């Protein structure tokens, strides 16, 4: 857990998606936030049967299930907001400390780490390859011809693949050396020591999906409240504009999503 000092920041983006407006000044008290996203190994201490599954191969299969997402240190994915909250309750009972998900303001404040730019390390044109696992040139590897030779599986990336094989949207400018999810902490931290706030997997927040300006007192952070819940940060499958500090996506709280995980927060330790 990393200490996040309290402060004030401008939440949202003037040049982003309409649901990032209006921008508003928000005060955030100090709290603690996980240095990394919760890994498969950590989550399975709570739910031994959890399966982040394989990411399905496109095109020809020939006996190959897909690309592995279940590594011990890969972030736990394909779990719902409710399951993430159950983990927080379990961890609270196990440690005697209060753990939960960060609300939207806490998450964005911690992600920015004092920066006013779309990424904690710069603007949308910044080279993110050392800081984040996003939808980069590596996604071309989905356009592959796979085969099985005895017990050995193989895959050959198709050069000059046609649009029916190579159709996943991506950013071709950079190579972050990550295809699907990477082990947590594989990329450099932000100024407050937090890794993978941009990319790798989306992260559940405590907050329900409500229009701005953000108001912590409007009931949106009530775990028993209604509505869809917000995930933040983008993933390995998303182009940079979806991985900014301010971009928001809503999902139903019961919905497990292939590229959504979480990290935990605590008011005090």
């Amino acid at each position: 857990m990393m200490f996040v000092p309290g402060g004030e920041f401008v939440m949202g983006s003037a040049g982003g998606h309409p649901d990032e407006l209006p921008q508003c000044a928000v005060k955030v008290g100090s709290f603690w936030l996980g240095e990394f996203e919760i890994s498969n190994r950590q989550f399975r201490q709570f739910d031994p049967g959890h399966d982040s599954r394989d990411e399905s191969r496109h095109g020809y299969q020939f006996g190959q299930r897909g690309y592995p997402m279940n590594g011990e240190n890969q972030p736990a994915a394909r779990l719902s907001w409710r399951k993430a909250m159950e983990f927080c309750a379990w961890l609270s009972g196990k440690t005697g400390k209060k753990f939960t998900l960060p609300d939207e303001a806490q998450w964005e404040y911690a992600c920015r780490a004092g920066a006013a730019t779309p990424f904690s390390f710069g603007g949308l044109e910044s080279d993110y390859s050392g800081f984040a696992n996003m939808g980069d040139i590596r996604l071309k590897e989905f356009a592959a011809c796979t085969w099985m030779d005895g017990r050995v599986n193989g895959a050959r990336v198709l050069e000059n693949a046609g649009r029916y094989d190579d159709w996943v949207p991506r950013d071709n400018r950079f190579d972050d050396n990550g295809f699907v999810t990477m082990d947590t902490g594989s990329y450099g931290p932000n100024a407050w020591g937090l890794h993978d706030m941009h990319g790798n997997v989306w992260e559940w927040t405590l907050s329900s999906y409500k229009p701005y300006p953000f108001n912590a007192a409007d009931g949106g952070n009530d775990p028993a409240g209604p509505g869809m819940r917000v995930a933040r940060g983008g993933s390995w499958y998303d182009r940079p504009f979806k991985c900014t500090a301010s971009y928001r996506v809503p999902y139903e709280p019961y919905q497990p999503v292939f590229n959504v995980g979480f990290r935990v927060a605590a008011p005090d330790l």
Side-chain angles (χ1 to χ4, degrees):
M1 303 295 288
M2 303 299 290
F3 180 72
V4 178
E8 185 172 345
F9 78 112
V10 176
M11 188 172 181
S13 171
H17 193 270
D19 71 353
E20 299 170 45
L21 290 169
Q23 289 181 290
C24 48
V26 178
K27 290 184 178 180
V28 176
S30 62
F31 66 103
W32 295 79
L33 189 65
E35 181 179 3
F36 308 114
E37 295 159 335
I38 293 296
S39 68
N40 285 312
R41 176 184 58 80
Q42 291 172 316
F43 194 77
R44 288 182 188 129
Q45 293 181 56
F46 159 68
D47 180 4
H50 175 70
D51 185 5
S52 290
R53 296 172 52 186
D54 293 337
E55 184 57 36
S56 297
R57 291 179 183 270
H58 298 177
Y60 301 107
Q61 304 297 311
F62 295 110
Q64 299 198 49
R65 290 182 57 196
Y67 303 98
M69 305 273 280
N70 266 321
E72 289 285 277
N73 294 315
Q74 286 176 280
R78 285 189 170 90
L79 48 87
S80 68
W81 178 88
R82 290 176 180 168
K83 205 69 173 176
M85 290 295 288
E86 289 175 9
F87 176 91
C88 291
W90 168 83
L91 186 60
S92 298
K94 193 172 184 64
T95 62
K97 300 288 185 180
K98 172 64 176 177
F99 286 93
T100 186
L101 298 175
D103 67 33
E104 274 205 271
Q106 289 175 322
W107 192 96
E108 184 173 330
Y109 176 70
C111 178
R112 291 184 179 279
T117 47
F119 301 120
S120 61
F121 49 83
L124 283 171
E125 300 305 313
S126 298
D127 182 352
Y128 53 82
S129 55
F131 297 96
N133 179 18
M134 302 185 197
D136 67 325
I137 189 66
R138 290 285 174 139
L139 292 187
K140 73 177 183 179
E141 295 180 24
F142 271 123
C145 180
T146 63
W147 70 87
M148 179 173 288
D149 181 8
R151 295 185 177 182
V152 179
N153 290 335
R156 175 176 58 82
V157 176
L158 300 175
E159 297 297 332
N160 302 313
R163 62 190 177 95
Y164 295 107
D165 292 309
D166 188 10
W167 52 266
V168 179
R170 63 176 185 258
D171 174 12
N172 287 323
R173 297 173 302 160
F174 304 117
D175 182 351
D176 59 31
N177 204 38
F179 180 35
V180 292
T181 55
M182 294 287 283
D183 287 356
T184 61
S186 294
Y187 300 87
N190 68 14
W192 291 344
L194 301 165
H195 296 258
D196 302 316
M197 295 296 288
H198 303 287
N200 218 20
V201 289
W202 290 92
E203 299 177 14
W204 286 115
T205 70
L206 184 64
S207 303
S208 60
Y209 185 60
K210 290 193 171 190
Y212 281 0
F214 178 84
N215 180 3
D218 67 0
N221 292 333
D222 181 357
M228 303 174 83
R229 299 287 165 165
V230 178
R232 291 295 206 106
S235 79
W236 61 272
Y237 197 73
D238 296 288
R239 287 170 288 174
F241 76 92
K242 289 188 175 181
C243 300
T244 65
S246 54
Y247 201 90
R248 315 166 70 203
V249 292
Y251 293 108
E252 295 291 349
Y254 56 77
Q255 184 178 0
V257 186
F258 78 101
N259 61 346
V260 178
F262 70 106
R263 74 180 70 215
V264 297
D268 189 27
L269 289 178

